[in-house]
Amino acid sequence: MTDPTRAAIVRALADLWAKGCPVPAPEHQDRLADVGLRRWHSVARRHRGRRLSADQRIQDLVRGLVAAFEPDRALVGPLVRDYECVARAIADVMTSTDPPGSVADAH
């Protein structure tokens, strides 16, 4: 987890907020970046022996973000689409900064 990568995620989240996405409010951007990075880097541990597609990887990230930020996951409803936008923004940064041969490339 490098500082430039985290900073790029925070910038992407700020851009989403500026475009009207309600999830990455300024007061949540740092924590969203931290949770997203931790979830991204721990995917191999949660899915041992499985190769996840890019969409499955994003859905895994969505589940982690919702679990971290929503007290009752059952009540998230349509807001899950906004979490998907956040997860895609994090995934875009991670796939553009992961070195070749990393876990992101393997899944």
Side-chain angles (χ1 to χ4, degrees), residues 7-102:
I9 290 172
V10 171
R11 282 192 305 275
L13 296 176
D15 187 47
L16 278 179
W17 173 254
K19 291 178 181 175
C21 182
V23 172
E27 64 271 17
H28 298 300
Q29 291 170 5
D30 286 328
R31 186 163 173 242
L32 281 163
D34 292 340
V35 170
L37 280 165
R38 191 170 47 250
R39 185 80 178 189
W40 186 266
H41 288 297
S42 64
V43 70
R45 180 179 44 83
R46 281 188 313 287
H47 298 281
R48 290 194 192 279
R50 288 187 52 213
R51 296 182 66 90
L52 300 182
S53 69
D55 286 338
Q56 289 171 321
R57 190 98 191 252
I58 288 170
Q59 288 307 309
D60 179 73
L61 194 49
V62 169
R63 282 190 298 277
L65 293 170
V66 168
F69 286 88
E70 298 296 329
D72 187 350
R73 288 181 251 172
L75 299 178
V76 174
L79 186 63
V80 76
R81 298 286 179 237
D82 294 310
Y83 278 102
E84 288 172 358
C85 289
V86 169
R88 283 189 194 284
I90 293 170
D92 287 347
V93 171
M94 295 307 295
T95 56
S96 70
T97 59
D98 278 336
S102 68

